[in-house]
């Protein structure tokens, strides 16, 4: 697999960083994951804008302009063997000679990227939906920043992995926030509901696309806090992310989700929205920049 480290493209197996890197010592950095379809990076400008927001949030200067990022990402995609990829990029506050929490002076940021095959949900997962469990949200209060400090997400995700489920949905103070690596939507009485973009959730790129498609197709929606009771009583639950796209949760904490003839199966709005999403992807690939 190809990688990029501090100005150089190289095989991933040859990439080396210092153990004094602040990413390693303090998780002092931010990251992005950009899906690539048929070698076309999806919503690249939006990912680079979110990266800038994360960097601003941790007071770390952006090492590159958007044009420089674009060139480097396109080169990495070109050097990678697969058509559908997930580009991972990470910027840390660099490697100092001392371990000191205060920001170092005159130390260059560490920039690391690699691209792996994009792993999409299987056709079986699409057909049957997936299992999820709930857990308390144990993260900090700046979940809008895509920080590499992912230990709470790792521990939370493992809770679902332990019971063979695909995602863990997090609750804070009795309200739904998001998944360990995804945003969450629910449907109640035909209305799509999602938590608003505030500092308690990551502003997902897929979340934005889903809302744009909802508006475009005149489907009713509301952005507001969702209580635990509303989550458990939802007609549909979906998770969205760059790799999952729109994926129905059909079992929550061992109970089937849904009503009528789609109990325990993907609901009608999940199917429709995923179809809109696929159609949109196709259009964008035919008309890059759309
Ligand atoms: N995760 N919320 C969290 C906590 C996430 O980690 C992610 C993405 C999302 C969805 O964002 P987007 O639609 O931009 O992918 C929401 C990525 C894929 C990851 O960490 O691998």
């Amino acid at each position: 697999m190809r990688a990029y480290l501090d100005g150089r493209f190289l095989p991933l197996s040859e990439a080396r960083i210092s153990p004094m890197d602040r990413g390693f010592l303090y998780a002092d950095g931010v990251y992005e994951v950009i899906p690539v379809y048929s070698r076309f990076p999806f919503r690249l400008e939006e990912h680079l804008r979110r990266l800038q927001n994360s960097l601003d949030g941790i007071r770390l200067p952006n090492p590159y302009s958007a044009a420089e990022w674009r060139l480097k990402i396109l080169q990495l995609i070109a050097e990678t063997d697969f058509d559908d990829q997930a580009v991972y990029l990470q910027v840390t506050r660099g490697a100092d000679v001392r371990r000191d929490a205060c920001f170092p002076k005159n130390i260059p940021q560490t920039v690391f990227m690699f691209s792996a095959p994009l792993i999409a949900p299987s056709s079986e997962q699409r057909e049957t939906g997936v299992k999820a469990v709930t857990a308390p949200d144990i993260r900090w209060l700046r979940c809008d920043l895509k920080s590499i400090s992912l230990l709470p997400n790792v521990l939370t995700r493992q809770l679902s992995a332990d019971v063979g489920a695909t995602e863990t949905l997090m609750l804070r103070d009795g309200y739904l926030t998001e998944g360990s690596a995804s945003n969450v939507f629910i449907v109640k009485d035909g209305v799509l509901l999602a938590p608003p973009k505030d500092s308690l959730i990551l502003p997902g790129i897929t979340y934005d696309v889903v809302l744009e498609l909802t508006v475009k197709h005149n489907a009713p929606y509301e952005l507001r806090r969702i209580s635990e009771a509303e989550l458990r009583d939802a007609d549909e639950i979906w998770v969205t992310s760059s790799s999952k796209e729109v994926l129905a949760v059909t079992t929550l904490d061992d109970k089937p989700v849904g009503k009528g003839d789609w109990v325990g199966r993907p609901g009608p709005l999940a199917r429709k929205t995923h179809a809109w999403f696929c159609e949109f992807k196709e259009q964008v690939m035919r008309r890059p920049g759309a």
Side-chain angles (χ1 to χ4, degrees):
M1 245 178 316
R2 294 298 281 172
Y4 172 92
L5 182 62
D6 297 334
R8 233 164 43 88
F9 289 90
L10 71 179
L12 179 59
S13 57
E14 289 174 19
R16 298 281 179 272
I17 61 152
S18 164
M20 294 305 284
D21 195 279
R22 292 176 63 94
F24 186 62
L25 294 179
Y26 291 112
D28 186 357
V30 296
Y31 77 109
E32 277 296 324
V33 179
I34 305 164
V36 174
Y37 300 110
S38 305
R39 299 190 174 272
F40 177 78
F42 186 68
R43 293 245 148 165
L44 180 56
E45 303 315 318
E46 287 80 356
H47 279 278
L48 292 177
R49 257 204 301 279
R50 185 170 67 184
L51 173 67
Q52 184 65 56
N53 190 56
S54 298
L55 288 165
D56 291 345
I58 69 162
R59 298 168 58 192
L60 182 57
N62 195 333
Y64 305 135
S65 67
E68 287 169 329
W69 275 115
R70 172 177 269 280
L71 279 179
K72 291 173 197 298
I73 290 167
L74 291 178
Q75 183 171 343
L76 180 65
I77 293 169
E79 290 190 13
T80 298
D81 284 340
F82 327 97
D83 288 340
D84 291 346
Q85 306 174 21
V87 170
Y88 175 91
L89 70 85
Q90 158 170 341
V91 185
T92 78
R93 213 178 304 271
D96 202 353
V97 288
R98 299 180 308 140
R99 181 177 177 276
D100 178 359
C102 299
F103 295 175
K105 292 197 176 66
N106 306 319
I107 297 283
Q109 301 92 329
T110 301
V111 180
F112 169 60
M113 300 197 275
F114 73 100
S115 193
L118 181 67
I119 314 270
S122 65
S123 43
E124 194 202 326
Q125 285 180 317
R126 285 251 160 265
E127 212 32 59
T128 62
V130 297
K131 291 183 185 161
V133 300
T134 55
D137 192 335
I138 56 171
R139 300 173 302 162
W140 68 336
L141 296 174
R142 290 304 308 275
C143 299
D144 55 321
L145 306 178
K146 208 161 168 55
S147 151
I148 60 169
S149 177
L150 290 171
L151 183 57
N153 304 63
V154 167
L155 294 173
T156 299
R157 170 66 182 102
Q158 189 59 36
L159 295 174
S160 44
D162 286 344
V163 295
T166 300
E167 182 56 300
T168 307
L169 312 189
M170 298 183 284
L171 296 158
R172 193 192 285 267
D173 300 330
Y175 289 89
L176 170 70
T177 53
E178 59 184 333
S180 73
S182 58
N183 291 110
V184 184
F185 289 80
I186 71 165
V187 179
K188 189 68 194 171
D189 298 329
V191 180
L192 182 64
L193 300 171
K197 285 200 277 185
D198 58 19
S199 58
L200 298 182
I201 69 166
L202 185 80
I205 306 295
T206 322
Y207 170 109
D208 280 344
V209 174
V210 163
L211 289 177
E212 284 171 31
L213 293 170
T214 300
V215 169
K216 184 176 156 203
H217 290 90
N218 290 317
Y221 76 98
E222 217 180 307
L223 301 182
R224 62 163 176 81
R225 301 216 298 165
I226 296 168
S227 70
E228 177 171 354
E230 287 178 300
L231 174 69
R232 298 199 184 282
D233 193 37
D235 298 339
E236 299 187 28
I237 302 175
W238 325 333
V239 287
T240 69
S241 78
S242 293
S243 56
K244 295 185 181 74
E245 302 182 342
V246 177
L247 185 61
V249 170
T250 45
T251 305
L252 184 67
D253 290 336
D254 281 333
K255 296 204 180 65
V257 176
K259 72 170 183 189
D261 57 1
W262 73 85
V263 177
R265 302 195 11 247
L269 201 53
R271 289 181 183 280
K272 215 188 301 182
T273 306
H274 187 246
W276 293 338
F277 189 90
C278 292
E279 195 182 290
F280 176 74
K281 252 177 19 188
E282 294 292 321
Q283 272 171 19
V284 168
M285 283 184 296
R286 279 198 302 272
R287 261 186 321 123

